[in-house]
Amino acid sequence: MDKINQLRNILNKQNCDAYIIPKNDEYFGEYVPKNKDRLKFITGFTGSTGLALILKNKSYLFVDGRYTLQAKKEICKDFKICEIPKIKPYYILKNLNKEITLGFDPKLFTSNTLKNIISNSLIKIKPINNNLIDTIWKNKTKVNNNKFYILEEKYHGESFLNKISKVSKFLKFKDIHYLLTTAVENISWLLNIRGSDGSSSPLTNGKILFNKNGKIIFFTNIKKITPQIKKALGKKVIFIKEELFINYLKKIKNSKILIDKKTCSFYYEKNIHSSNKLIDIEDPIYLLKAIKNKTEISNAKIAHLFDGIALTKFIFWLKNNYRKTKITEVSAQNKLEKYKKQNKNYLYPSFNTISGFGGNGAIVHYRSNNKTNKEIKGNNLYLLDSGSQYFYGTTDVTRTIAIGNLSSFQKKIYSYVLKSHIAVASYKLKKSTLGKHIDKIARVPLLKFGYNYSHGTGHGVGYFLNVHEGPQGLSPFNNHKILPGMILSNEPGFYKENNFGIRIENLIYCKKINNSHSKFINLTMVPIDKDCINNKLFNKNEINWINNYHQKIFYILKPFMNNTELKLLTEACSAIS
């Protein structure tokens, strides 16, 4: 019996008409461990976000615009693909025109997520504590018991005591008794510890109960806590088995508790005693973490130098060899990994590398495999989106590279995307500038000709943590101010289905100029492929930006190139007019 039918049989026994399966696990992180990727198990879909809805006779997969092409190629025939926000689960359930009992795992959904799904009085929700996918998934991998470790001060630049003091002051100012921190990246940042609980991020899974006087209970896997961590954190932090979290939560009464609506599950929220008042504001750690200190910014520059050296050497190797020898998407990304590993500071990728040639490059979050792997040859564009983790920081960079001769249309579109990129990089920020303001400006060069892209222009980036970090971001819906110290990506793009994709991505940070203005500074140091551009489409300011960027790259990367690479770097960074 196949998985879907097994699940439907269990649904009948549970007296449910439908069941919903999210991508996330109970920690709500972007990258889910293989043994908890229930959405992939049931659908075959490998993207980083999505939702499956299983009915008695139909199945749906909901993804956003980044993943529609990918989903078409990956999922089994049982599922119909629905693009959010054009079609939401609520629309499907509403059109059934009858009362529906919807089953779900309460540890995998927040109250807000559920509200978006069940905006209909005919839908009755039924929490099922035992995950139904787990009942049919028999061959899971073992639990990770790798130890947590302390991040040295030379990398983070601020003691955990100082961070705790900031949070404590916030709670006292707001007259809040407890902060329940359920976002694991916030825990890692607060305590200056890291682990291996994320596949691409050094996360430390658990939950923290933080009282306004700065006393912390860290509920986690006790096997992961070393004597060194206990000694470093001292009496400020008590470590307790995560399984006992609910017992402690239920004991709190007649208090004001700030919960993180993005990561506090329906299950935990419903187990908070009714005598407490829940405070619905953002966990203050998000913003504190987003504003990098001087040490973190300085280290981020080092991390991007390491990445710039490896990626630039790789691009030169690719350009010189694709005509001579067979290079595929997979062998190319493996070669890049070898270049990165030449640096002893390199740890591992910050996400799965996107290595897409031709039509595969049009799949925004494409991941090459043996079935889809293309040879890089002929005349088209190769899109490479990669990132790294170092103790010095987290990187994320995309370059689109010309293979052979490009059409005038490809060069025109690439130039529009580069104009959008330059518009972001050159933006003069005010104190009131929001992420959506910059996103709007970024799309202008493409919208003039009727083009657009289905993703945000940029996302926040963590410091040796998640490559995607909030609250900052550049998207039509981001209402957060862009503040000095924030690191973001700048990545406009264009995607022509089954033909090619273009994306140009640098990481940038916001630097204060004076009391009223800030500007963006590039962190990424990798040449932009001039074989892709039409010089005539740029104005004088844009030409100057390209030349200045390349001049800076040349002098920074020059000492790390051999004689052959130096000649190529000289050409790659030469001025255009």
Side-chain angles (χ1 to χ4, degrees), residues 297-552:
I297 294 295
S298 295
N299 286 340
K301 292 176 182 178
I302 296 170
H304 284 84
L305 170 63
F306 294 157
D307 238 36
I309 294 166
L311 191 49
T312 301
K313 286 175 177 282
F314 165 81
I315 291 171
F316 294 159
W317 169 82
L318 178 66
K319 287 270 197 179
N320 276 346
N321 287 283
Y322 73 86
R323 290 188 180 93
K324 303 174 189 175
T325 186
K326 182 178 179 179
I327 301 173
T328 66
E329 294 168 342
V330 171
S331 67
Q333 70 184 50
N334 291 341
K335 183 72 173 180
L336 173 60
E337 189 71 4
K338 286 181 180 178
Y339 275 113
K340 289 186 176 186
K341 285 179 177 177
Q342 289 175 9
N343 187 321
K344 64 181 181 181
N345 295 287
Y346 173 71
L347 298 174
Y348 48 85
S350 57
F351 57 93
N352 294 321
T353 298
I354 299 167
S355 174
F357 180 66
N360 286 342
I363 302 170
V364 178
H365 280 208
Y366 172 71
R367 188 177 180 185
S368 187
N369 56 50
N370 292 332
K371 291 181 181 179
T372 63
N373 190 21
K374 283 189 176 185
E375 185 176 351
I376 300 171
K377 65 178 183 178
N379 303 301
N380 214 326
L381 289 160
Y382 171 59
L383 188 151
L384 180 67
D385 188 346
S386 67
S388 306
Q389 294 285 12
Y390 304 90
F391 289 129
Y392 294 94
T394 302
T395 71
D396 181 3
V397 53
T398 308
R399 286 295 180 265
T400 306
I401 302 159
I403 301 297
N405 299 314
L406 301 186
S407 68
S408 58
F409 176 71
Q410 286 174 317
K411 287 189 174 186
K412 180 178 75 169
I413 295 297
Y414 185 99
S415 299
Y416 292 155
V417 173
L418 182 51
K419 286 166 80 73
S420 293
H421 181 96
I422 294 169
V424 173
S426 307
Y427 194 95
K428 293 181 179 178
L429 297 97
K430 300 176 182 177
K431 283 185 174 181
S432 58
T433 299
L434 307 178
K436 65 182 181 182
H437 297 155
I438 302 170
D439 179 87
K440 187 175 182 180
I441 292 296
R443 296 177 191 273
V444 170
L446 286 160
L447 286 172
K448 279 182 180 178
F449 299 93
Y451 304 124
N452 203 350
Y453 43 95
S454 62
H455 55 78
T457 300
H459 55 84
V461 179
Y463 179 87
F464 186 37
L465 277 173
N466 290 350
V467 73
H468 297 123
E469 171 184 276
Q472 75 275 30
L474 310 179
S475 76
F477 313 106
N478 192 287
N479 291 307
H480 280 275
K481 292 180 181 179
I482 305 301
L483 301 172
M486 288 180 167
I487 296 178
L488 301 106
S489 69
N490 171 11
E491 50 179 314
F494 173 88
Y495 310 93
K496 186 172 174 59
E497 186 173 353
N498 297 321
N499 280 269
F500 63 88
I502 297 168
R503 189 160 63 251
I504 305 167
E505 177 186 19
N506 282 2
L507 293 196
I508 52 182
Y509 76 93
C510 180
K511 183 178 180 179
K512 183 178 179 180
I513 301 172
N514 52 45
N515 288 333
S516 56
H517 287 86
S518 300
K519 65 178 180 179
F520 286 130
I521 304 291
N522 274 306
L523 288 167
T524 304
M525 292 290 126
V526 180
I528 292 164
D529 191 353
K530 295 186 298 183
D531 293 338
C532 296
I533 67 176
N534 180 344
N535 298 10
K536 296 176 182 178
L537 296 177
F538 297 97
N539 62 37
K540 185 178 179 181
N541 288 336
E542 291 164 338
I543 293 284
N544 287 340
W545 186 94
I546 295 167
N547 289 337
N548 289 337
Y549 179 62
H550 279 149
Q551 185 180 41
K552 184 177 181 180

Side-chain angles (χ1 to χ4, degrees), residues 113-127:
T113 308
L114 286 170
K115 284 175 188 174
N116 289 332
I117 295 170
I118 58 165
S119 306
N120 185 348
S121 58
L122 290 176
I123 301 170
K124 177 186 174 184
I125 60 171
K126 182 179 181 179

Side-chain angles (χ1 to χ4, degrees), residues 90-322:
Y90 159 63
Y91 302 155
I92 303 295
L93 295 168
K94 180 183 176 183
N95 288 334
L96 295 174
N97 291 319
K98 64 176 184 177
E99 188 172 306
I100 293 290
T101 299
L102 177 66
F104 70 101
D105 183 340
K107 295 187 184 73
L108 304 186
F109 290 88
T110 65
S111 294
N112 285 347
T113 308
L114 286 170
K115 284 175 188 174
N116 289 332
I117 295 170
I118 58 165
S119 306
N120 185 348
S121 58
L122 290 176
I123 301 170
K124 177 186 174 184
I125 60 171
K126 182 179 181 179
I128 303 172
N129 290 338
N130 294 322
N131 190 284
L132 299 190
I133 298 297
D134 292 350
T135 62
I136 60 173
W137 189 0
K138 302 300 181 185
N139 299 315
K140 283 191 166 191
T141 54
K142 292 181 180 179
V143 175
N144 161 22
N145 282 319
N146 295 337
K147 306 289 186 186
F148 298 159
Y149 55 91
I150 297 164
L151 188 64
E152 295 178 50
E153 189 172 351
K154 67 179 180 180
Y155 298 122
H156 60 70
E158 184 179 13
S159 73
F160 83 96
L161 290 173
N162 203 48
K163 293 177 179 180
I164 288 172
S165 176
K166 289 179 180 178
V167 177
S168 183
K169 285 178 182 176
F170 175 90
L171 296 179
K172 287 176 179 177
F173 178 74
K174 296 286 187 179
D175 191 27
I176 297 169
H177 300 106
Y178 292 96
L179 166 65
L180 174 55
T181 293
T182 43
V184 295
E185 67 273 22
N186 288 353
I187 295 170
S188 302
W189 176 87
L190 180 71
L191 300 181
N192 289 331
I193 59 175
R194 298 294 189 270
S196 58
D197 287 341
S199 58
S200 303
S201 185
L203 299 173
T204 53
N205 283 350
K207 295 155 192 69
I208 271 183
L209 199 56
F210 188 127
N211 77 18
K212 66 179 181 180
N213 295 318
K215 289 288 184 180
I216 291 172
I217 304 176
F218 184 13
F219 298 90
T220 188
N221 182 344
I222 298 298
K223 293 178 181 178
K224 299 184 179 185
I225 304 300
T226 64
Q228 291 84 358
I229 288 177
K230 287 183 178 178
K231 183 180 178 181
L233 299 181
K235 294 180 180 179
K236 275 283 184 183
V237 182
I238 299 169
F239 300 94
I240 292 177
K241 287 181 181 180
E242 193 168 4
E243 294 84 355
L244 300 176
F245 174 61
I246 284 292
N247 296 342
Y248 276 77
L249 195 59
K250 288 178 176 178
K251 289 177 184 177
I252 300 173
K253 296 177 182 177
N254 302 308
S255 297
K256 295 178 183 176
I257 305 175
L258 194 166
I259 65 170
D260 181 3
K261 289 284 189 176
K262 292 193 284 290
T263 62
C264 182
S265 69
F266 179 90
Y267 178 74
Y268 293 130
E269 188 174 338
K270 294 304 175 186
N271 273 285
I272 295 173
H273 196 272
S274 59
S275 67
N276 295 300
K277 181 180 180 182
L278 299 185
I279 308 300
D280 187 12
I281 56 177
E282 189 169 72
D283 182 339
I285 297 175
Y286 282 109
L287 185 57
L288 292 170
K289 175 167 57 68
I291 299 173
K292 277 58 179 179
N293 60 42
K294 290 180 181 179
T295 300
E296 290 171 319
I297 294 295
S298 295
N299 286 340
K301 292 176 182 178
I302 296 170
H304 284 84
L305 170 63
F306 294 157
D307 238 36
I309 294 166
L311 191 49
T312 301
K313 286 175 177 282
F314 165 81
I315 291 171
F316 294 159
W317 169 82
L318 178 66
K319 287 270 197 179
N320 276 346
N321 287 283
Y322 73 86

